[in-house]
Amino acid sequence: MNTDQISKLPEGWYAATEEEAERLHRELQKELHSEHLLKNIPVKVVAHRDGATDDILCQHKEKEERFTVIHLSWSMKEEVSKDFPMVEVDGSFDDFLAYEERFCR
């Protein structure tokens, strides 16, 4: 995520520190079902929602223009369904901003 994108993070979203990113990424990897959208897809956690580290913004490493918002369950184990952890939005950074805009009205 570049500095311009960091400056455009919606209210309540914060760039993840290296420590936060590692911790959130570990939990994401634990939760991913074998058929989940992000299974075996290299991503990095770049941001999280304030006060709730359930919502994380992941940037795809091999396609850096692609971002996915995931709602973690904090089950600390693989989910029983490919639908969890829940994908809130998957697309460009602008898609993420448009998704978040819906909650600011």
Side-chain angles (χ1 to χ4, degrees):
M1 193 160 78
N2 62 43
T3 53
D4 183 52
Q5 290 168 324
I6 291 171
S7 71
K8 291 180 180 176
L9 283 171
E11 185 176 338
W13 281 87
Y14 297 92
T17 65
E18 192 172 318
E19 182 180 297
E20 289 169 331
E22 288 175 13
R23 181 175 57 84
L24 294 167
H25 189 267
R26 276 193 308 272
E27 180 59 24
L28 172 64
Q29 294 308 306
K30 287 179 194 173
E31 293 185 21
L32 290 178
H33 184 274
S34 62
E35 296 178 29
H36 192 275
L37 172 75
L38 292 185
K39 187 67 174 183
N40 298 319
I41 303 295
V43 297
K44 58 185 172 182
V45 177
V46 293
H48 62 87
R49 193 182 300 273
D50 181 38
T53 51
D54 297 348
D55 293 333
I56 60 174
L57 178 63
C58 299
Q59 184 175 21
H60 294 242
K61 290 182 177 181
E62 294 175 356
K63 232 180 152 184
E64 292 192 341
E65 70 280 0
R66 184 174 172 193
F67 292 83
T68 305
V69 175
I70 296 288
H71 181 81
L72 295 173
S73 67
W74 287 97
S75 64
M76 299 188 174
K77 62 181 187 219
E78 183 178 319
E79 291 292 343
V80 296
S81 167
K82 67 178 178 140
D83 298 325
F84 296 97
M86 189 177 299
V87 174
E88 300 287 335
V89 65
D90 180 55
S92 68
F93 190 77
D94 287 339
D95 293 334
F96 159 66
L97 293 176
Y99 174 80
E100 285 296 312
E101 180 72 24
R102 297 180 3 195
F103 301 106
C104 297
R105 294 180 185 171

